[in-house]
Amino acid sequence: MDGRDLVRSVSGVGSGRAAQGLRTVRSAWRRRRIDAAGLPPRGTERARIPGQVVGAEPGPGGGVIRFARSELRITVAVNGAVFRGWDGAAPQPSYALAGKSPEPDLRAVLEPDKDGGWRVVSERATVVVSRHGEVQVCTPGGVMLRRDLPPRWWEADGGGPARWMQRSEVAADARFFGLGARASGPRLRDGTYRLWNTDPGRAFGPGDDPLYLTMPVQLVVADAAAHLVFHDSTWDGTVVLREGEEGAGSGHDRPGRSELRMDGGPLRGWVMVGTPARVLHTWASLTGAPALPPAWALGHQHARWDLGDEQEVRRLVEGYKERGVPLDAVHLDVGHHQDGQAFTVDQDRFPKLPGLAEELRQDGIRLVSAVGPAVRAVPGDAVYDGGSAVDAFVRDASGRTVRGEAWAGESVFPDFTHARVRAWWGGLYRERLEQGFAGFRHEMDEPTSFTAFGETTLPRSARHDLEGRGGDHREAHNVYALCMARAAGEGLRELSPEERPFVLSRSGWAGMQRYGGTWSGDVASGWPGLRASLSLVLGLSLCGVPYSGPDIGGRDGSPSPELYLRWFQLGAYLPLFRTHAGVRSGHREPWEFGPRVLEHARAAVLERRRLLPYFVSLAHLARRTGAPYVRPLWWGAPEDRALRDCGDAFLLGDSLLVAPVLDPGADRRAVRLPRGRWYDTATGRAYEGPAQILADAPLSRIPVLARAGSVLPVRGADGGTELEVWAPARGRTGGGLVVLEPADGRGEPEIERYTVRRQGAEVVVTREREGGGTGEPSRPVRIRGLG
């Protein structure tokens, strides 16, 4: 705890929350004392580098290269990913990987290279190791993509984890993406980025870092190829990025640079090389297929902080129904809990919650419950007593249970890094299911207490099980939310196996897509917040988390009608489409902004509903291939440098290009088009790319363009699925994949493949049969783009 923490804590005392403020100050000082006792000073440190090569030992898929003061393990997996681990580090144990490590590719062999170095040649990448410990990752043709300089460790004389640093160079034309949810992006400019999941404690904008969800996952895009690098350490760290420049300094290129410093953990990781689609597919095969959201979660959702009782929920739903705005889910915040305690319901305000949930379900609306990890520390409370019985709560180095301040008051925190605790916590969701909830939103799971109003949470010296290995919060902090999501996902699959779990987690780490998605958190209610919303979704997509979205309208404050509508229009094309009203923002339903905004917002929701079959197809494709719903414009053409620098538009699948309005007063906007023909879906006008066009963006809509030759599954007037086909250019063909779920949402989906071709003045659409050959489409077809 530093001076800033104390000032924040004391400010809580004078802000009308005196009782909570005093508890906050006490909690902050208590955390400081715990860390002072549990984290002895490091004292003097010794620096270490690998030294020179002294030998090598080939093995399956690669081998071990021995240096004077370290060793490097290199293994090429059958999926093409390359593992690199220093000091004997192996791929497991790992919170990121799904199950066991992939089998090694036996075709990849460790062999001597020039100047005393070694190399491993595989189908997708060549890894060259110099005699001093420099590691180069190259394309199969030998073009260097990444050069890792010899790492450096700092080891404390008194023992304990070693800090380490890894400096890397990339091509001069390369651009950096990823690192989790970053408000400034999606392209990461020169700067320092911290790897420590943090609740900022206030509404955030593009300049704020770090935020709730950080990952040591970098996607680097260059002319030669893209590559994804993952450093598998959960400790606190920083990444410093410096983009390169071609022809800098006497006509020579200046490479891009990345410097990673970690406070501990193994120096190990993976690198994948290829096209963006191949890289994300390999990443998903390593870390797990994205969870498939239930179909209703792809519709329109609404959350409001002050939904205080059952009648208020009914009034909200009736307001949407009366105005003809479809609604698919309502989120209840912590206000529906009894005294702020999760897994309890305030019976005074929600006396018949199961009846309300069933009533809403009959109208096609689900209830989603907010759940936090903090458990009120009151003997006699069922959750607290149950957790105490299984020794579930985090303890400090002296064995005392760690306490913090949360919505429920003085609270304790489960250790989700223990399998027994996850099983106990997963069973608690039974109460939520019996109350009629269909989905869950994890709040404050960084984890955050009110120790310093948004600063760090549990003491860094707090002890965690870490799957039996043992360790402290420095190692467990970044995966705390991931493990909580795992507890929920596994518990819900056991409690309700016939339903697909729906879990949103505000925080997380690499691999979180296995259990659900995320949202923006408390983004600021302004135009910069709108721009940050898109950056967050695109950045997470490139880290393997395809299902995410912002709080439309931001956290607090009163967005203007124009800003609210433009945010709403953007949200209608993002995977998670959720309107939101925060603590001090009042009501944020579309009709609160006037009849004009209501009319255009209704149109956006109806278009989202029309596109639901397309979103369902994208969800299944993400699960099967790792390809995100929302993709940067360069997804199919990473060599196009103009597209690499474009972060204000995106592709929705392969078929649609969405160009949201991110600035006030705009009724037209520039749109960068990838190669090919594109149709304005509102006017039918055709454009030829690559080019930059000026598209109309009246208040009623944002520019959306369809790729020529696309086949989009859409909802017809009768509720059935139809095919919207955009005519290919003459001499070109097209096609599409349509994934159709069974009517009850259970069982294996039906996959239909279509091809499209021009035949004179007509467009011919055929369906590919499973046994070979083609046939007529099995559903109505509407041809567009022939005008």
Side-chain angles (χ1 to χ4, degrees), residues 38-189:
L39 293 177
R42 291 182 61 88
T44 58
E45 294 180 320
R46 299 187 310 273
R48 173 169 62 92
I49 58 174
Q52 296 238 16
V53 166
V54 296
E57 182 182 332
V64 177
I65 304 170
R66 305 191 189 282
F67 296 83
R69 290 177 291 278
S70 187
E71 64 182 33
L72 172 65
R73 181 189 306 275
I74 296 180
T75 305
V76 180
V78 290
N79 60 7
V82 180
F83 173 78
R84 301 168 298 166
W86 286 94
D87 284 356
Q92 293 283 11
S94 171
Y95 279 106
L97 270 59
K100 296 181 179 180
S101 302
E103 294 295 320
D105 184 352
L106 300 182
R107 298 171 299 173
V109 178
L110 180 66
E111 57 189 28
D113 196 41
K114 59 185 180 181
D115 298 329
W118 293 82
R119 68 176 182 175
V120 178
V121 180
S122 68
E123 180 183 6
R124 299 185 190 176
T126 297
V127 181
V128 180
V129 183
S130 78
R131 60 192 175 96
H132 298 292
E134 178 185 281
V135 180
Q136 290 189 34
V137 178
C138 307
T139 67
V143 179
M144 193 275 291
L145 296 176
R146 189 179 193 91
R147 175 186 289 115
D148 290 341
L149 304 180
R152 182 181 295 268
W153 295 265
W154 287 269
E155 299 167 332
D157 286 340
R163 299 185 297 113
W164 54 264
M165 176 184 69
Q166 177 73 75
R167 289 192 174 118
S168 307
E169 294 180 349
V170 298
D173 68 281
R175 297 290 181 263
F176 297 103
F177 301 86
L179 297 183
R182 304 288 167 171
S184 56
R187 171 184 163 190
L188 300 177
R189 308 280 179 165

Side-chain angles (χ1 to χ4, degrees), residues 80 188 199 209 292 301 393 449 474 518 592 645:
L188 300 177
D199 174 6
D209 188 272
L292 194 64
Q301 306 179 45
F393 304 122
S449 73
R474 293 174 297 175
T518 184
E592 300 291 342
D645 294 340

